Amino acid sequence: MPRGVVDGGLPLVLKPRRWTSSQDTELISDEEQLRAAVAVIASGRMLLEGHIPDPTMPQTGAGSAPYVSVELISSSGMVDVLGMSSRTPSRASLSGAGVHFRMRRALGIDTVQLVMGLAVGEEPMLGDLPVPDGVVFRFDVQPDANIRRITAVDRLNAVLHSSGVEQVVPRVGRRDDFSWRNGTLGFAAAVIGTAPHHQTVRRIRDDVLGCVAISGTQ
């Protein structure tokens, strides 16, 4: 047991020192769970931090998560806001893996080009950001966290009939292994498209959840 950890209060979040997309991130609710988790991790690879509970008010209307993701770029002590995106609290999540796509599609900002320029000493040339005339979305449809092997992903093609959906990209499928430790990268499919406003995005998300069926063994 790490010295002084429990004195700081529970619950805690156990996460890698370097990683992305919530991989290997675990909510620790009691001392027994903490002991079991610490026993199987490599020394020095993980860190523990306090758990900050989400606020309760949805930020972009009913059915959305109680927080937003703010995309920033920092250079020479200056921080610029590139944009904001909402999140959903369900198994159809708006993954951070789609940040580059959403910034480019909604605002015309190529984040990869910006970062490559910073790497060679260029200063970012950002003027007034355009105001998007709609909402760009990418839903990453997640299997149940208890599944260990996917046996079927059904009705993906039917999602394409939902108004606003432009593309469905499968990622994991039948007979693929699955682990919650893959974080948001372990999605079954990405559903991509545009909508005029957040209310329509929430309707599309509900259509996706009501349509796609993911089966597996535990």
Side-chain angles (χ1 to χ4, degrees), residues 73-80 114 117-125:
I73 189 166
S74 176
S75 173
S76 301
M78 299 294 293
V79 178
D80 291 296
L114 277 174
L118 289 173
V120 296
E122 296 178 0
E123 290 296 324
M125 302 295 292

Side-chain angles (χ1 to χ4, degrees), residues 71-73 80-84 98-115 124-132 136:
E71 319 307 342
L72 308 171
I73 189 166
D80 291 296
V81 177
L82 299 182
M84 292 191 299
V99 168
H100 172 63
F101 161 78
R102 294 196 302 273
M103 291 295 102
R104 184 180 58 192
R105 180 70 178 274
L107 301 174
I109 297 174
D110 189 328
T111 54
V112 173
Q113 186 177 26
L114 277 174
V115 171
M125 302 295 292
L126 296 173
D128 293 334
L129 295 180
V131 178
V136 176

Side-chain angles (χ1 to χ4, degrees), residues 75-189:
S75 173
S76 301
M78 299 294 293
V79 178
D80 291 296
V81 177
L82 299 182
M84 292 191 299
S85 55
S86 64
R87 292 289 188 267
T88 61
S90 64
R91 63 183 177 88
S93 67
L94 275 166
S95 169
V99 168
H100 172 63
F101 161 78
R102 294 196 302 273
M103 291 295 102
R104 184 180 58 192
R105 180 70 178 274
L107 301 174
I109 297 174
D110 189 328
T111 54
V112 173
Q113 186 177 26
L114 277 174
V115 171
M116 290 178 66
L118 289 173
V120 296
E122 296 178 0
E123 290 296 324
M125 302 295 292
L126 296 173
D128 293 334
L129 295 180
V131 178
D133 57 2
V135 180
V136 176
F137 64 85
R138 168 178 158 159
F139 294 123
D140 290 349
V141 185
Q142 307 282 342
D144 186 277
N146 294 319
I147 288 179
R148 292 296 173 263
R149 180 177 288 267
I150 306 293
T151 57
V153 181
D154 296 321
R155 298 194 294 275
L156 275 181
N157 288 337
V159 173
L160 287 169
H161 298 298
S162 183
S163 177
V165 173
E166 301 171 0
Q167 191 177 10
V168 177
V169 182
R171 182 174 176 89
V172 298
R174 187 170 178 264
R175 297 181 181 176
D176 283 344
D177 292 333
F178 175 77
S179 172
W180 62 268
R181 292 191 176 278
N182 293 330
T184 57
L185 294 179
F187 58 89

